Amino acid sequence: MIPQSSHGSLRTARWAVGLTLASLTLVGCSDAQQRGFLPGDTEQEVTNQTGRIVNLWSGSWVTLMVVGLIVWGLIIWCAIAYRRKKGDTGFPVQLRYHVPLEMIFTLLPVVMIMSLFYFTQRDATEIEALSENPDVTIHAVAKQWSWDFNYVDEDVHEPAGVQSFETGTEGAEESLPVLYLPVNKTVRFELDSRDVVHSFWVVDFLYKKDMFPGHSTSFEVTPTKEGTYKGKCAELCGEYHSDMLFNVKVVSQEEYDQHMQELRDQGNTGQLGLDLNREQQDWSIREKDAERDQKKIEEDSK
């Protein structure tokens, strides 16, 4: 066995520790960095869930960065500390066992992955939870390539969405469909698609939900900050996918009620139904899974 000097390894370890501490310090330099460069404002979150999402996102990346720095530091340290030095002869020991160290290398990644799974599942369960009596119910219907918005409780709807053929030109945003939401009210979104798979995404809400033809999906959120937020389809749905845009206005209860009355005065009462869907037959994921399993059993028995 060739003896190794410890001075180089100590210097490398100090550099690795210093680099780690410097990186952790940089994480808190700005609000954008603290949010993991996600949109929004830490002082006033846009919804009741954005803070939870930001914490999971930023916490995951900080943890991964620390682990990465430690691994890179150990790699560099090993390359320097155990390099072949001038005057060395022969070969170092080729096989050597260190059971405790090997157990750490095996168990530590398992613990890290399970911890990440726990926090992800904890937050996903909370984000996907539905209440028994939401304050407002919105029925959003996606179609190639626009949106229809129904206010279920008020029994009114926005004018039927029309595809914007002027995306990217000045003033085009004024023709986009607009959805009104009251601030600090629990809103349930019921989502449907008339044709292909779409995805409902309000960017500043930090959340998106897929929409399937013939199968409804839903989620709830409480907007907590008034303002106008951009929405779009987040699933490639055809040639004019980029035109599938809309705006969300989070307003006071008084302004929301006023808008509902304006829709009634305009004759936009009732609901924009699903009668124009390309696929009329409803389906469920469990039924599809059962059909697939039954078909597989029949094929295996032949």
Side-chain angles (χ1 to χ4, degrees):
M1 186 177 84
I2 302 174
Q4 305 288 348
S5 173
S6 62
H7 297 292
S9 60
L10 289 175
R11 285 195 299 269
T12 305
R14 293 192 188 101
W15 274 104
V17 172
L19 184 60
T20 301
L21 293 176
S23 300
L24 291 176
T25 302
L26 289 174
V27 172
C29 282
S30 68
D31 181 70
Q33 288 177 326
Q34 290 178 357
R35 296 184 63 82
F37 299 99
L38 294 176
D41 181 3
T42 302
E43 295 183 1
Q44 176 60 58
E45 294 292 347
V46 176
T47 76
N48 63 320
Q49 299 293 358
T50 51
R52 179 186 300 275
I53 296 170
V54 168
N55 289 337
L56 178 63
W57 171 261
S58 301
S60 299
W61 274 107
V62 169
T63 302
L64 292 173
M65 182 184 66
V66 172
V67 172
L69 289 173
I70 292 174
V71 171
W72 294 331
L74 289 173
I75 291 173
I76 296 172
W77 173 69
C78 289
I80 296 175
Y82 297 105
R83 72 188 186 280
R84 187 176 183 85
K85 300 177 179 62
K86 185 177 180 180
D88 289 344
T89 59
F91 296 98
V93 177
Q94 300 299 299
L95 295 176
R96 184 178 297 168
Y97 299 96
H98 195 297
V99 176
L101 190 60
E102 292 173 3
M103 290 182 65
I104 291 175
F105 288 161
T106 302
L107 295 177
L108 191 58
V110 173
V111 172
M112 292 171 56
I113 295 299
M114 294 302 295
S115 299
L116 183 60
F117 174 81
Y118 166 77
F119 288 111
T120 302
Q121 183 61 29
R122 180 200 65 181
D123 290 347
T125 300
E126 186 67 25
I127 293 170
E128 291 285 338
L130 298 177
S131 62
E132 293 185 1
N133 298 301
D135 299 316
V136 177
T137 301
I138 302 294
H139 182 210
V141 184
K143 58 187 180 183
Q144 292 176 314
W145 285 272
S146 191
W147 304 84
D148 292 337
F149 295 124
N150 293 314
Y151 302 93
V152 178
D153 304 305
E154 303 291 339
D155 196 31
V156 295
H157 62 83
E158 295 288 348
V162 179
Q163 177 187 346
S164 173
F165 291 96
E166 300 179 353
T167 299
T169 62
E170 186 176 354
E173 189 172 5
E174 296 178 2
S175 64
L176 296 178
V178 179
L179 173 64
Y180 279 73
L181 301 177
V183 70
N184 295 324
K185 299 292 184 180
T186 301
V187 180
R188 175 177 296 178
F189 288 93
E190 297 178 348
L191 309 176
D192 281 291
S193 170
R194 296 195 187 281
D195 34 50
V196 298
V197 177
H198 297 281
S199 185
F200 183 87
W201 182 26
V202 182
V203 179
D204 285 349
F205 286 10
L206 306 182
Y207 183 83
K208 62 183 73 170
K209 190 80 170 181
D210 283 349
M211 311 167 77
F212 306 97
H215 175 70
S216 298
T217 54
S218 60
F219 74 97
E220 286 185 4
V221 69
T222 302
T224 55
K225 183 179 180 181
E226 294 185 23
T228 301
Y229 305 100
K230 299 183 184 300
K232 60 179 69 178
C233 175
E235 191 76 39
L236 182 58
C237 56
E239 183 177 4
Y240 297 102
H241 164 69
S242 60
D243 286 339
M244 202 163 169
L245 308 173
F246 64 96
N247 286 319
V248 174
K249 289 184 177 292
V250 178
V251 298
S252 65
Q253 184 65 51
E254 293 75 15
E255 188 173 348
Y256 177 79
D257 294 336
Q258 180 181 351
H259 182 66
M260 295 301 102
Q261 187 58 48
E262 291 174 353
L263 292 176
R264 292 189 188 94
D265 295 341
Q266 295 168 6
N268 294 333
T269 57
Q271 304 286 280
L272 297 174
L274 302 177
D275 51 303
L276 298 179
N277 285 9
R278 293 183 191 172
E279 176 62 61
Q280 296 295 330
Q281 184 178 1
D282 291 338
W283 59 275
S284 71
I285 292 178
R286 288 192 177 90
E287 290 176 355
K288 293 294 184 182
D289 288 342
E291 292 176 3
R292 180 198 60 195
D293 294 341
Q294 182 62 33
K295 184 177 181 180
K296 188 176 185 304
I297 292 173
E298 293 175 355
E299 290 177 350
D300 294 341
S301 62
K302 292 181 180 179

